[in-house]
Amino acid sequence: MALSITFHALTSLLLFHVSLVSTATHTPHHHASHSSNHLQKAYRALQAWKKVIYSDPKNLTGDWVGPSVCSYTGIFCAPSPSDPNTLVVAGIDLNHGDIAGFLPEPIGLLSDLALIHLNSNRFCGILPRSLSQLSLLYELDLSNNRFVGPFPDVVLSLPSLKYLDLRYNEFEGPLPPKLFSNPLDAIFVNNNRLTSLIPRDFTGTTASVVVFANNDFSGCLPPTIAHFADTLEELLLINSSLSGCLPPEVGYLYKLRVLDMSYNSLVGPVPYSLAGLGHLELLNLDHNMFTGAVPLGVCVLPSLQNLTVSDNYFSEEEGICRNLTSRGIVFDDSNNCLPDKPHQRSHKVCEDVLDHPVDCYDHECSAVAPQASPFAAGPSLAPAPAPSYT
């Protein structure tokens, strides 16, 4: 069934509750009314929600009738983390429900929730402030919906949140710097209408996966990206309107496995510091304005499996870079300015760019002037059917 809770989500939910139960302090006496009080509040919240659901083609909420909320489709109950004898609503999974409606203020009554999965529906409007009452919420997936407004800063007040997925909505405006000081493990904000500069303050960040792709940011990637060094494994900035030079500090992200900077307006040479990314498996620099050489240090990375440098202005490939496929690496260097290689740009096009080299050492990050991208809009990331990362 499409709305069945995924194995990873159920596992994380149960582990989360068990870990809290193991450290919680509770009294030795329990009352049957405890469960009743929690489930009564859940009943009020779910009934209020059902009233603002305007389309439910799969009739998933058709059995949201009566006080037995633990039997509702998409609702999952578990022992309370503070009292294992008290049953509470701990998870909601309505992924792929195609439900239309919005989230009402009474949803804050579901204060025991550890997991909300609403991927691939038609929920709209702004997020209610009452979400701040969900102090145990660990995973929030609102992707592939129609939510609007500024970045929903209410999610930044959730102390237990580790997984945040807001991709494929209509959120707009700047990203708040506080997003990166929260103890999140995964941040997905791709395919919205976010604008302005990427925040420079990454102090205290703990994320291992960050996806900014397909927004309308501007300026450069700040050197402070190095603050992600101890945790970041995947960084995707596809089609994010970035310009300027790629900062050498990207090479400090020693845990990176995936780096995708394609479909931007990045200029200058590739920093040789990327040779320090010993865990890197995929590097995509496609559709930018990089010049100079494809550096040997990148081509000999021990974990590299896929390197894409096509649609740039590279004029040289160092050493083994000229024949990477001999190492079994997927490699695309087409549409550059590489002599004696097929499928390259014309001499005239290359000359116009290479006669005006960019010296990245002459420019601070903030001083690099944005340049209009010479390329069409980049590819849209395919919507994920459900979160696959915890």
Side-chain angles (χ1 to χ4, degrees):
M1 191 173 181
L3 58 83
S4 296
I5 197 165
T6 59
F7 176 78
H8 96 278
L10 181 57
T11 301
S12 66
L13 173 63
L14 294 177
L15 288 176
F16 177 65
H17 273 265
V18 169
S19 66
L20 289 178
V21 169
S22 66
T23 58
T25 301
H26 51 269
T27 58
H29 300 290
H30 309 288
H31 304 283
S33 62
H34 287 180
S35 288
S36 177
N37 289 337
H38 285 261
L39 297 179
Q40 283 176 6
K41 288 200 304 180
Y43 171 72
R44 295 203 304 273
L46 294 171
Q47 290 304 307
W49 193 5
K50 184 176 181 180
K51 288 179 181 177
V52 293
I53 287 176
Y54 304 120
S55 174
D56 182 5
K58 300 180 182 179
N59 199 31
L60 299 180
T61 61
D63 61 359
W64 287 21
V65 178
S68 300
V69 294
C70 295
S71 65
Y72 287 8
T73 296
I75 305 301
F76 298 87
C77 293
S80 166
S82 61
D83 182 352
N85 293 328
T86 298
L87 197 63
V88 299
V89 171
I92 296 175
D93 188 343
L94 293 171
N95 280 348
H96 302 278
D98 196 26
I99 297 170
F102 63 90
L103 305 186
E105 283 292 332
I107 202 167
L109 294 172
L110 296 166
S111 56
D112 302 294
L113 281 175
L115 179 152
I116 297 177
H117 282 176
L118 301 180
N119 178 307
S120 303
N121 284 284
R122 291 175 287 145
F123 290 112
C124 62
I126 60 174
L127 302 189
R129 302 301 305 176
S130 62
L131 282 178
S132 62
Q133 300 171 36
L134 308 186
S135 61
L136 300 180
L137 195 65
Y138 187 86
E139 291 193 15
L140 178 61
D141 179 6
L142 303 178
S143 61
N144 309 329
N145 279 284
R146 299 173 184 176
F147 292 111
V148 298
F151 183 91
D153 59 358
V154 65
V155 304
L156 304 179
S157 64
L158 301 172
S160 302
L161 194 66
K162 296 297 182 185
Y163 181 102
L164 177 63
D165 193 345
L166 301 177
R167 54 188 155 170
Y168 290 93
N169 280 286
E170 301 290 331
F171 295 118
E172 56 192 86
L175 286 174
K178 189 181 176 184
L179 174 63
F180 304 102
S181 61
N182 278 28
L184 293 166
D185 192 31
I187 303 171
F188 294 89
V189 294
N190 55 285
N191 294 80
N192 278 281
R193 297 174 179 268
L194 299 169
T195 57
S196 190
L197 300 173
I198 292 176
R200 297 175 64 89
D201 186 5
F202 295 126
T203 305
T205 185
T206 59
S208 62
V209 177
V210 175
V211 185
F212 289 153
N214 295 310
N215 283 288
D216 195 19
F217 298 117
S218 59
C220 65
L221 184 66
T224 49
I225 192 72
H227 291 161
F228 278 102
D230 290 335
T231 59
L232 194 61
E233 297 181 12
E234 298 186 23
L235 177 61
L236 283 78
L237 286 158
I238 308 160
N239 192 35
S240 294
S241 302
L242 296 179
S243 59
C245 296
L246 190 63
E249 287 80 2
V250 172
Y252 302 167
L253 304 174
Y254 65 95
K255 290 188 175 181
L256 269 187
R257 294 185 296 105
V258 175
L259 176 60
D260 196 331
M261 308 290 297
S262 59
Y263 286 89
N264 285 289
S265 297
L266 298 170
V267 299
V270 174
Y272 209 84
S273 61
L274 267 60
L277 302 179
H279 298 286
L280 196 66
E281 300 172 9
L282 183 150
L283 175 60
N284 191 349
L285 304 177
D286 178 41
H287 278 89
N288 279 283
M289 300 179 70
F290 287 113
T291 55
V294 180
L296 176 63
V298 169
C299 297
V300 297
L301 287 171
S303 302
L304 192 64
Q305 300 175 17
N306 190 313
L307 175 59
T308 303
V309 297
S310 54
D311 290 282
N312 282 283
Y313 294 87
F314 290 113
S315 56
E316 181 185 353
E317 293 175 329
E318 297 179 347
I320 191 65
C321 299
R322 291 189 288 270
N323 190 22
L324 263 186
T325 53
S326 65
R327 290 184 56 205
I329 294 172
V330 177
F331 182 50
D332 185 356
D333 61 0
S334 61
N335 213 29
N336 277 284
C337 301
L338 299 166
D340 304 322
K341 279 291 188 87
H343 311 297
Q344 299 296 301
R345 299 182 186 275
S346 70
H347 177 74
K348 177 66 169 65
V349 170
C350 290
E351 187 177 52
D352 289 344
V353 174
L354 300 182
D355 282 351
H356 302 88
V358 175
D359 185 352
C360 294
Y361 291 102
D362 285 344
H363 302 280
E364 293 294 331
C365 179
S366 59
V368 177
Q371 301 184 28
S373 173
F375 308 114
S380 179
L381 297 179
S388 58
Y389 181 89
T390 301

